[in-house]
Amino acid sequence: MMHTFIESSFQQALDAMGIEHQTIAFERPKVAEHGHMSTNIAMVLAKQLKKKPQDIAQEILSQLQYDTSFVQSLEIAGAGFINIKFQPNAFHQAMQIMMGKKRDLGKTTVGSGKTANIEYVSANPTGKLHLGHGRNAAIGDTVANLLEWSGYKVTREYYFNNAGNQMNLLAASIYARYRHLIGDNEYQFPEDGYHGEYIADIAQQALDLHGKQLAVENQDHIEICKKLGEEWCFSSILETLKKMNIHQDTYFNEDSLFTDGTIASLLSELKEKGLSYEKDGATWMKFSSIDESLTDRVIVKSSGEPTYRLPDIAYHRTKFERGYDLIVDIFGADHIATIPDVKAGIQALGYDVSKLKVLIYQFVTLWDNGEQVKMSKRSGKSYTLDELIDEVGADVVRFFFIMRGAQTQLEFDLQIAREQNDKNPVYYLQYVHARICSLIQQVHDHDKQVLEHPDLSTLTHPSEITLIGTLTRFEEVAIRAAHHLEPQMLAEYLREVASAFHSFYHDCRILGSEHAVLSARVHLALLTKTVMNNGLTILGISSPESM
C-alpha cells in the first residue's frame, strides 16, 4: 500500500526520461535503517539503457517530483537501489484508508471474473485420514480461501476414488473379517488387506445388517461389503475434515468416468489421434511423442484393467471442459512421477496446460520430546489425523500444516503444539486478538467516545509507525500468497504483525494515556485486530476473544 504514495512520481520520472510502460517493483528493505521501501528499477534498466545502475538512479532522482508531506527522503544505495523513507503522515493516511475497509480489509479484485477449481484431500475411502492427508487438506483449503479473498469464484473439489484395486482389497478385508465373525476362522485374510480395527467394525455392521446371509462367497456379497466399507470410510473422512473446518463443494466420483463412457471415449480418441498403440496385449500411450523426456506408459493392462494414468487424464479433461480459468491440484510427493504424464496427455488433447498448477507437498513426521512418533497410542498402527486433532486441537493442526512451504519436510513437534504460551505459534497469534478484545472492552466500559474519530497524527512513536507499516502490507501479502499458491507467506506475515503489536503494546501506554493519544492507539489496536482476524480467517483458524 505504501508504494501508492510514490509510484506515480517514479512513473512520471521514467516518462520524462523517455521510458514508457515499465513496471516498477517496490519492496521492503531487509535492514530497517535503509528506509521503509526500496526499488531496483535502476538495475532493471541498466542493460536497456547501457548505463551504470547508480547513474540511472541519479537521473531518476533528478527527474522525480514528489509530495514532501508523504515522502521524507530518497537515497541511492549499494549497486543502485533507491531507498525511500516516508513521513509519518503517509502512514496515517494509509491507516485511514485501511480503517475504511473494515471487514473487507485484505480482499482484492485481482481474480474478479475468474473461476478456479481446487482439488484437495481426495483420499481413497479405504480408511481413516493420516497426517499426510491432513497437510493436503490444510494446504488446499487455505489456497482456496486465498483465491476467494483475491476475487476468484472457487470450486472446492474432492475426487472420490472408489474404483480400482484398493477398493477391492477393502471389500476383501471386510468380507474376511465378516467370515471370522460368523465363526469361519479358517477363511484366509487377503495378503495385502487392511488390518485396522475399523475393518472389524465394518464387518460387525455387515453382520448386524445381514446376519449370516453373506456366508457364501460370491461377487454380490463382496460388493455389499465394499459398499458398506466405502460409506463407513467416507463418512469418517468427512467427520475428520469437519473438525478441521474443511469442506468441499463438489465430490467427483471416479467410477462415473467408467459408467458414463468417458474412459471408452478417451481411449477411442487417443487411438484416432495416433497417441496410443497395442503391445503385449496392453494399450500404451505415446507419451514420448508428446514430450521426448517422457517414457511411453501402459494405460490399459493386458487384463483389461486401466492404470491410474488413464482415469487421471480423463478426470482432468473434465475440469478443462468445465471452463475453469485456474485448476489447482494438491498432491503428495509420491505423485510427482505421474504429473508430467497427465499434463502431457491433457496437452495432446488440445488443452492449455498453463491453467493447471500442481502443488507438491512433502510428508509429515511427528515428534515428541525429541523422538519420532511411529505408533498410535490407541491402535498400534499409524497415528491418525483424528488422534492428532483430539490431542492438540484443530487450530494448531491446521496452522502447523501450513506454516512451512509445501515443498519443505514438516516435522510436527507435539511438545510445542501442546504449549499454551508464546512457544506455540498459534497461541502467539490468537493471543494478540484476545488481548485486543480485552483492551477494547475495558475502553468501552470506561469511555465510549474514545472509539470515535481518532486523531492519527498523534501516532509518531517508532513502534507505532512500525506497526502501521506492517499492517499496510496485509493486502499485498494476501495477493502474493494467492498468486504463488503459498499459504505459509500469510502465516509468516501474521507472526510479523503479532511481533510488531507486542512491541507497540510494550512501548506505548494505551490505558491511562492522554485522551487523543488513547483514541489513536485504540484505533491502531482495532486495526491490528481486524488484520489478525481476517488473516486467521483465511488460514481457517479461529480468532478467540478470550484465552
Side-chain angles (χ1 to χ4, degrees), residues 33 92 238-239 250 355 362 374 393 399 409 528 536 539:
E33 288 72 19
H92 303 152
L238 293 182
E239 281 299 312
T250 303
K355 292 182 178 181
Q362 297 297 323
K374 296 182 180 180
F399 188 86
Q409 182 78 27
T528 305
L536 289 172
L539 298 184

Side-chain angles (χ1 to χ4, degrees), residues 443-456:
V443 170
H444 184 273
D445 294 342
H446 176 70
D447 184 359
K448 293 181 182 179
Q449 290 185 341
V450 168
L451 301 175
E452 301 175 3
H453 312 300
D455 178 6
L456 302 183

Side-chain angles (χ1 to χ4, degrees), residues 5-77:
F5 296 113
I6 192 68
E7 186 172 24
S8 61
S9 296
F10 268 87
Q11 199 63 64
Q12 289 167 10
L14 294 184
D15 290 343
M17 294 167 60
I19 303 167
E20 298 180 352
H21 312 299
Q22 177 66 52
T23 300
I24 305 171
F26 294 92
E27 61 183 21
R28 185 183 55 151
K30 294 180 180 179
V31 180
E33 288 72 19
H34 291 172
H36 300 121
M37 192 162 289
S38 180
T39 178
N40 67 343
I41 185 62
M43 287 177 279
V44 171
L45 293 171
K47 185 175 181 180
Q48 175 185 337
L49 300 181
K50 297 177 181 170
K51 296 180 180 180
K52 293 180 180 179
Q54 293 94 334
D55 294 340
I56 297 172
Q58 189 60 58
E59 188 174 353
I60 292 173
L61 290 188
S62 69
Q63 296 285 349
L64 205 63
Q65 298 181 15
Y66 54 89
D67 189 339
T68 55
S69 68
F70 287 149
V71 179
Q72 179 179 327
S73 64
L74 298 102
E75 63 178 26
I76 301 169

Side-chain angles (χ1 to χ4, degrees), residues 374-545:
K374 296 182 180 180
M375 305 296 281
S376 163
K377 296 175 181 177
R378 294 206 291 267
S379 67
K381 300 295 180 182
S382 61
Y383 204 102
T384 69
L385 183 57
D386 272 323
E387 289 175 317
L388 187 60
I389 294 171
D390 290 344
E391 181 159 358
V392 301
D395 283 342
V396 173
V397 170
R398 271 195 76 131
F399 188 86
F400 274 51
F401 281 155
I402 58 178
M403 69 180 180
R404 300 280 184 268
Q407 294 274 16
T408 304
Q409 182 78 27
L410 180 63
E411 295 185 352
F412 195 113
D413 192 322
L414 279 170
Q415 192 172 6
I416 293 176
R418 296 188 193 104
E419 296 280 0
Q420 294 293 309
N421 54 43
D422 289 355
K423 292 181 181 178
N424 184 330
V426 184
Y427 183 95
Y428 184 66
L429 300 184
Q430 291 178 323
Y431 183 63
V432 170
H433 188 271
R435 169 175 268 183
I436 296 172
C437 287
S438 174
L439 168 67
I440 300 307
Q441 186 59 53
Q442 293 178 65
V443 170
H444 184 273
D445 294 342
H446 176 70
D447 184 359
K448 293 181 182 179
Q449 290 185 341
V450 168
L451 301 175
E452 301 175 3
H453 312 300
D455 178 6
L456 302 183
S457 67
T458 62
L459 300 174
T460 57
H461 190 282
S463 291
E464 294 170 331
I465 298 300
T466 297
L467 176 55
I468 297 171
T470 305
L471 298 177
T472 63
R473 294 172 44 232
F474 179 39
E475 187 175 290
E476 65 186 67
V477 170
I479 291 173
R480 192 166 70 251
H483 176 74
H484 293 286
L485 308 178
E486 295 189 13
Q488 85 280 357
M489 289 183 175
L490 180 57
E492 291 166 1
Y493 165 74
L494 291 181
R495 295 180 75 168
E496 290 183 41
V497 172
S499 177
F501 177 78
H502 286 308
S503 295
F504 156 72
Y505 194 82
H506 176 270
D507 297 340
C508 304
R509 183 180 181 184
I510 300 178
L511 294 174
S513 59
E514 188 271 325
H515 188 275
V517 174
L518 170 62
S519 178
R521 287 176 176 172
V522 165
H523 278 82
L524 179 51
L526 278 169
L527 184 60
T528 305
K529 175 178 175 286
T530 299
V531 169
M532 292 302 299
N533 178 72
N534 290 5
L536 289 172
T537 296
I538 295 172
L539 298 184
I541 294 169
S542 66
S543 301
E545 295 189 0

